[in-house]
C-alpha cells in the first residue's frame, strides 16, 4: 500500500527504552533495571497526586470535563495569566502537533536548532514543511536571526533548556531575539525543563506571562512529564495570547486529556514544595556527575535540566557504551542518532547514580 508522500521523510521516533523491553530482551529482573533514559523525575510525583487520583477512580465511566476548568485555573493562577490563554495537550507534544498543523505546511519552513528535540522535525514532516537547522550546537541566536532573515520560516522553535544537550540560552538574549521577529512568525519557546533552569540560574528563566504580554506571536510550552513526575499521565500545556490558543483549539480532539490525568496534574501543581525538593536534590546529584566526568577526562555539557550529556572520548563509541550499560540493566540514551558521540543520562536517585558511576567507570 502507498501512503502520503510526506511520510517518506519521517523516521519512526525512538523513545527511551522502557524497562519492560529490557526485561524481555535481556532476561534481567525488573528490580535490577535502572532507567535513566527519558528524563522522568526519579522521585516520582507528590504522594498527594496518588491520593487525588485514587479518590476519583470511580469516575472512569464518565467522559472528562472537556473545559478542563480546574487544571486551566490552576495553571492560570500559577503563571498569573488568564485561563483563556492556556491549551492543554496530551503531553506538550500534542500542543506542538497542534501548532505545527495550525501554522506551517507544504512550501513553508520551520527553523530549529541543529541538535534539539526530535519531535519538531517529525511534526513538520507530517504537514510537508521544510526544516531549516542552525549549524551551531548551542542555541546561537545570531545564527537563528540570520537564518530567519534568509528563510522567513513560519515557525521558529527555541528549546531552552535544550534537549538533548541540557544547555540553556539567557532569558535576556531570547527576549532581544523575540523583539526582532515579525508578528507573523510563530515562535515556540519549549520550556519542558524551565523549572530546573529557573532553580539553577534566574538569568535563564523565561516567564510565560512576560513573554505573551510582550509578544503576541509567542507560544510557551510546559509539561508535567519532567519535574512534576507525571510522564505516564501525558499532560502538557501551551500558553499564548488568545488568538493563538483559539487556532490551536480548532485542531484539538475532544476529551484529549483523561479525567485521571487532569486530576493528577491539578494535584501536582498544588504541591510545589515536593517539586522544589526534587529539583534541589537533582542539582546535588548533578555535581556528582560533573565530578565523575572530570575524574574520567570526559566532558559534561553544563546542564540546566535533570539530565546530563556526557561527550565521550574519541575512540570510545557511545553506541558501544550504551549497549554495554543496557546489557547490565542500565538504560541511558545514546546520542549517536543526533550526530554526537555522547550519552544522555537522566540524573537519578543517589543509589541509581552510584550504580551508573560504577558501571560507566569501566566503559568510558
Ligand atoms: C519531554 C519533552 C517534551 C514533551 O514531553 P511530553 O511528555 O509530551 O509533555 C517537550 N519538549 C522537550 C524538549 C522535552 O524534552
Amino acid at each position: 500500500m502507498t501512503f502520503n508522500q510526506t511520510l517518506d521523510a519521517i523516521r519512526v521516533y525512538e523513545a527511551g527504552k522502557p524497562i519492560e523491553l529490557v526485561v524481555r530482551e535481556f532476561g534481567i529482573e525488573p528490580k535490577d533495571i535502572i532507567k535513566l533514559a527519558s528524563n522522568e523525575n526519579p522521585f516520582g510525583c507528590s504522594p498527594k497526586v496518588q491520593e487525588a487520583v485514587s479518590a476519583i477512580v470511580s469516575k472512569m465511566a464518565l467522559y472528562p470535563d472537556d473545559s478542563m476548568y480546574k487544571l486551566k485555573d490552576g495553571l492560570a493562577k500559577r503563571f498569573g495569566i488568564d485561563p483563556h490563554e492556556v491549551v492543554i495537550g496530551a503531553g506538550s507534544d500534542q500542543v506542538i502537533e497542534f501548532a505545527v498543523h495550525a501554522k506551517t505546511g507544504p512550501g513553508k519552513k520551520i527553523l530549529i536548532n541543529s541538535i534539539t528535540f526530535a519531535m519538531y522535525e517529525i511534526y513538520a514532516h507530517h504537514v510537508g514543511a521544510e526544516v531549516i537547522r542552525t549549524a551551531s550546537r548551542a542555541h546561537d541566536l545570531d545564527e537563528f536571526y540570520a537564518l530567519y532573515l534568509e528563510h522567513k520560516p513560519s515557525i521558529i522553535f527555541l528549546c531552552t533548556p535544550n534537549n538533548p544537550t541540557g544547555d540553556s540560552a539567557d532569558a535576556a538574549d531570547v527576549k532581544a531575539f523575540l523583539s526582532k521577529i515579525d508578528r507573523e512568525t510563530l515562535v515556540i519557546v519549549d520550556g519542558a525543563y524551565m523549572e530546573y533552569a529557573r532553580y539553577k540560574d534566574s538569568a535563564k528563566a523565561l516567564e510565560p506571562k512576560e513573554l505573551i504580554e510582550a509578544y503576541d506571536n509567542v507560544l510557551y510550552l510546559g509539561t508535567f512529564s519532567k519535574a512534576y513526575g507525571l510522564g505516564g499521565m501525558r499532560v502538557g500545556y501551551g500558553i499564548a495570547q488568545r488568538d493563538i490558543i483559539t487556532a490551536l483549539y480548532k485542531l484539538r480532539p475532544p476529551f484529549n486529556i483523561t479525567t485521571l490525568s487532569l486530576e493528577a496534574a491539578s494535584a501536582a501543581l498544588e504541591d510545589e514544595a515536593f517539586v522544589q525538593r526534587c529539583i534541589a536534590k537533582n542539582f546535588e546529584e548533578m555535581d556528582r556527575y560533573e565530578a565523575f566526568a572530570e575524574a574520567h577526562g570526559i566532558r559534561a555539557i553544563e546542564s540546566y535540566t535533570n539530565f546530563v550529556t556526557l561527550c565521550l572520548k574519541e575512540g570510545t563509541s557511545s553506541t558501544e557504551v550504551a549497549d554495554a550499560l543496557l546489557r547490565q540493566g542500565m538504560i541511558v540514551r545514546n546520542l549517536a542518532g543526533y550526530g554526537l558521540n555522547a550519552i544522555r543520562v537522566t540524573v537519578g536517585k543517589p543509589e541509581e547514580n552510584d550504580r551508573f558511576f560504577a558501571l560507566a567507570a569501566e566503559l568510558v
Side-chain angles (χ1 to χ4, degrees), residues 91-93 96 117 120 159 163 190 192-193 223 225-226 234-236:
S92 55
D93 246 292
I96 299 170
F117 191 49
Y120 309 147
C159 186
N163 181 8
D190 188 342
Y193 302 93
T223 179
S225 301
K226 309 287 162 58
R234 314 301 306 124
V235 192

Side-chain angles (χ1 to χ4, degrees), residues 11 18 42 59 71 105 115 127 144 148 161 175 183 190 231 235 241 245 248 266 301-303 313 336:
R11 276 184 302 143
K59 291 196 182 163
L71 180 55
I115 296 171
V127 297
F144 264 88
Y148 155 77
K175 288 182 230 170
R183 305 274 79 105
D190 188 342
V235 192
Q241 285 197 14
I245 299 299
L248 303 187
S266 295
I301 299 176
E302 182 169 19
S303 173
K313 290 177 210 151

Side-chain angles (χ1 to χ4, degrees), residues 103-292:
K103 187 63 189 171
T104 192
K108 296 182 181 174
K109 298 175 181 177
I110 71 158
L111 173 57
I112 65 175
N113 199 54
S114 58
I115 296 171
T116 194
F117 191 49
M119 294 312 299
Y120 309 147
E121 176 171 16
I122 294 176
Y123 289 124
H125 287 318
H126 284 185
V127 297
E130 188 186 338
V131 178
I132 309 294
R133 312 173 164 272
T134 61
S136 44
R137 197 229 350 115
H139 278 60
D140 174 342
L141 294 170
D142 292 332
E143 193 190 359
F144 264 88
Y145 186 61
L147 291 171
Y148 155 77
L149 292 177
E150 183 184 343
H151 293 282
K152 288 286 164 206
S154 46
I155 303 179
I156 301 172
F157 281 95
L158 300 179
C159 186
T160 186
N162 189 37
N163 181 8
T165 49
D167 54 325
S168 176
D170 280 334
D173 295 343
V174 171
K175 288 182 230 170
F177 173 77
L178 291 171
S179 301
K180 296 188 290 186
I181 305 300
D182 75 284
R183 305 274 79 105
E184 254 314 302
T185 307
L186 179 65
V187 184
I188 300 182
V189 175
D190 188 342
Y193 302 93
M194 195 62 78
E195 294 86 358
Y196 295 96
R198 187 180 289 122
Y199 178 94
K200 179 168 175 172
D201 181 355
S202 59
K204 307 291 185 186
L206 287 162
E207 298 308 330
K209 177 185 170 71
E210 216 185 303
L211 289 181
I212 71 166
E213 276 177 0
Y215 309 104
D216 59 9
N217 59 330
V218 167
L219 171 64
Y220 176 91
L221 302 178
T223 179
F224 286 92
S225 301
K226 309 287 162 58
Y228 287 87
L230 293 177
M233 296 305 269
R234 314 301 306 124
V235 192
Y237 53 90
I239 295 176
Q241 285 197 14
R242 265 181 103 151
D243 60 338
I244 295 178
I245 299 299
T246 304
L248 303 187
Y249 251 87
K250 295 181 182 177
L251 294 156
R252 186 188 70 94
F255 309 115
N256 59 323
I257 313 296
T258 72
T259 302
L260 300 188
S261 297
L262 287 169
E263 187 66 20
S266 295
L269 262 188
E270 281 166 21
D271 194 356
E272 187 61 23
F274 174 87
V275 174
Q276 291 304 318
R277 279 198 301 278
C278 294
I279 294 176
K281 195 74 198 157
N282 173 70
F283 285 113
E284 274 173 36
E285 292 295 305
M286 182 80 79
D287 291 346
R288 301 178 63 212
Y289 276 86
E290 281 161 12
F292 173 85

